[in-house]
Amino acid sequence: CYQDVFVVNLTCQFLVSFTNYGWYLYLVVPGYLLYQVSGYIKNWVFTPTADEMAADDPAAKKRQEKKEKKQERQKFKVMRG
């Protein structure tokens, strides 16, 4: 990580010796950090939860229906005798 910052610093110093626009190269480091953080935030916000994924899953829906049917049935047999 520190080597990357060192290379950016050396390149910036080299470019500034020719033009003042070389200072803009320092914006690469915070720009990259903003890019990474925005990716983490985007994944956190738009990743579906386990409940949302289960609601869309047809196999899970079928299991839920089967479970509800099983609960509606009688739990014991009536003995006549």
Side-chain angles (χ1 to χ4, degrees):
C1 178
Y2 294 114
Q3 186 178 6
D4 296 339
V5 175
F6 182 69
V7 170
V8 169
N9 190 24
L10 285 178
T11 308
C12 184
Q13 287 179 4
F14 177 75
L15 290 175
V16 167
S17 64
F18 298 112
T19 178
N20 281 335
Y21 292 113
W23 292 112
Y24 291 123
L25 186 62
Y26 276 129
L27 296 176
V28 169
V29 175
Y32 181 73
L33 290 175
L34 284 173
Y35 172 75
Q36 289 291 321
V37 169
S38 67
Y40 289 131
I41 292 172
K42 182 184 70 160
N43 288 337
W44 179 69
V45 170
F46 294 112
T47 301
T49 61
D51 294 336
E52 292 172 342
M53 290 184 69
D56 294 337
D57 186 22
K61 190 179 275 189
K62 187 174 180 181
R63 279 192 303 260
Q64 183 66 25
E65 289 173 0
K66 190 174 181 181
K67 188 176 179 183
E68 289 172 1
K69 258 187 182 178
K70 190 175 182 181
Q71 288 177 349
E72 291 173 3
R73 290 191 308 206
Q74 288 183 351
K75 300 203 189 273
F76 54 89
K77 283 189 173 181
V78 177
M79 299 293 288
R80 296 183 191 182

